[in-house]
Structures are given as structure tokens and as C-alpha cells.
Amino acid sequence: SGAPTPGIGGLYHLIGETTVYALADGLVVGPFTVSAAGTITLAVAASKVHVGYLMTADLETMRIEAGGADGTAQGRRKHISVVVLRLDQTGEGLFMGPSPSEALESVRIAPETLLDGDTEEFPWIGGTEQAGRIALRHTLPTPCTITGIFPRMETSGN
């Protein structure tokens, strides 16, 4: 961090790497190739820049226990209709689905902003199943803190 500049140096550990990205003043930019001098050049000057590899972070809940009128929901079929997430200072690049590889529903967060609080209700793209797991995948170099996952669901027989 410092005065706005398009030239970022000191990336000696990344020399020759062709797929590094930057979070420049909150905006995801890249990919970049790190020069032999350990530098990259941004299209627009930025004052706070983080540079590195893209990294995918996956989260998958345990089997959901929501209870039922006549006892536990464990072992019963669950139908999730909507999900709300509670986020703390989370940027774009968050996806949701029934498994990490099927986390395709984008959680709408505007570029260059951080969402702090509850999301809108997202219709659930999974079906009816016994486990009732919810998976989240974060794919961009923006902050991501998930403090709650709130499904609306119905349980039925076995």
C-alpha cells in the first residue's frame, strides 16, 4: 500500500508466473505475467494491492438438522426451497450449490463492494435428498467470511 501507482514490484517469488491476479483497491484484475524483474503493471494506478494466485475455497455443511413435528430430521428426506447467507465483509466470487463441484448459483455481490449482513433469499437449485447439504465455493481474491447459512426446508418420511 502507498501512493497510487500502476507498477507493482517485489514479486521476485513469482517471476515468470503467467497466471497471477491482483486485488487492486478492491477490484479483481488479471491475469498478469510477472516479469524477470519481479513486476507487473496494472491498467489503472492503485494504492492498495494484493498479488498472488487464484485460490478456490470450498465449504460444505454437515447434514442439516432442523427437527420436525415428530422428532429428528436425520435420515429423512429434505427439500430445501430457499437459502439465505449471513456474510461479514465478503466480496464477489461466492457461489452456492448442493456440492462444491455444483456450486454454480452466484451470490450477487457488486464488484468493489463488501457485503456485510444477510443476502437476499436464493431459490435452492438442489433437489430433495436425505443429507440436505449446502456447499459454498469462493473463487476470487476478495475477502470472504460466512457467519451463517439459513435454509428454509421441509422434511418428509424416510
Side-chain angles (χ1 to χ4, degrees), residues 68-125:
D70 57 347
T72 182
Q74 294 299 306
R76 295 186 179 195
R77 298 192 58 74
K78 298 163 189 70
H79 176 74
I80 299 170
S81 56
V82 297
V83 176
V84 172
L85 303 176
R86 182 163 294 154
L87 305 174
D88 181 31
Q89 298 297 297
T90 296
E92 64 179 324
L94 183 60
F95 297 85
M96 177 171 42
S99 71
S101 64
E102 297 173 292
L104 304 173
E105 174 72 27
S106 177
V107 177
R108 291 176 279 286
I109 301 171
E112 300 182 65
T113 64
L114 297 176
L115 182 58
D116 193 15
D118 292 354
T119 65
E120 61 188 282
E121 289 185 343
F122 288 96
W124 185 243
I125 60 175

Side-chain angles (χ1 to χ4, degrees), residues 15-85:
I15 288 174
E17 293 296 324
T18 59
T19 55
V20 298
Y21 286 77
L23 183 63
D25 290 338
L27 183 63
V28 177
V29 292
F32 294 99
T33 297
V34 181
S35 74
T39 64
I40 63 170
T41 302
L42 305 173
V44 177
S47 60
K48 187 170 187 178
V49 181
H50 300 271
V51 179
Y53 300 111
L54 282 185
M55 190 171 146
T56 298
D58 290 334
L59 176 147
E60 187 172 9
T61 65
M62 295 172 59
R63 293 173 178 253
I64 295 176
E65 171 54 63
D70 57 347
T72 182
Q74 294 299 306
R76 295 186 179 195
R77 298 192 58 74
K78 298 163 189 70
H79 176 74
I80 299 170
S81 56
V82 297
V83 176
V84 172
L85 303 176

